[in-house]
Amino acid sequence: MNALDTNVLVYRLDGRDPLKQAQARQLLRQLASDPTPTILLWQVLGELVCQLRSWQDRDVITRDGLLRYVATIRRLFPLTMPTPQVIDHALELTGQFSLSH
């Protein structure tokens, strides 16, 4: 299983760095068509909406654009609430692979 990162979702829309934007678009297309499930964590969606709201306040994105993008992401990737087992698994992975989280 894969989980989306907020930055990838933001880079997908942010045209200030065309290379990151292209990479984010390619990654999201790949994840949407991959047989391995990709989930959208509740926290990631909240962080995305927070960023999009700040863009909306600065007239970078319209309210309709914000709502369309959130709806598209939710349609492509199931929204998931974390469970207590998630932290156990994260700690297991960080110990095994020297990852940070």
Side-chain angles (χ1 to χ4, degrees), residues 73-97:
I73 295 301
R74 289 188 61 198
R75 187 173 53 254
L76 292 172
F77 306 104
L79 183 60
T80 305
M81 294 288 291
T83 64
Q85 293 78 19
V86 169
I87 192 66
D88 296 334
H89 188 61
L91 290 171
E92 194 176 292
L93 290 172
T94 58
Q96 185 177 2
F97 298 106

Side-chain angles (χ1 to χ4, degrees), residues 47-99:
E47 291 169 353
L48 174 64
V49 169
C50 182
Q51 178 63 45
L52 296 180
R53 289 288 312 274
S54 74
W55 285 0
Q56 179 187 339
D57 292 345
R58 292 179 294 159
D59 295 323
V60 175
I61 192 171
T62 65
R63 179 72 177 166
D64 286 342
L66 180 156
L67 295 174
R68 276 194 312 273
Y69 187 56
V70 169
T72 298
I73 295 301
R74 289 188 61 198
R75 187 173 53 254
L76 292 172
F77 306 104
L79 183 60
T80 305
M81 294 288 291
T83 64
Q85 293 78 19
V86 169
I87 192 66
D88 296 334
H89 188 61
L91 290 171
E92 194 176 292
L93 290 172
T94 58
Q96 185 177 2
F97 298 106
S98 298
L99 302 171

Side-chain angles (χ1 to χ4, degrees), residues 1-4 37-46 73-74 76-86:
M1 177 182 334
N2 297 308
L4 293 172
T38 298
I39 59 171
L40 173 62
L41 294 171
W42 180 262
Q43 178 180 339
V44 169
L45 183 59
I73 295 301
R74 289 188 61 198
L76 292 172
F77 306 104
L79 183 60
T80 305
M81 294 288 291
T83 64
Q85 293 78 19
V86 169

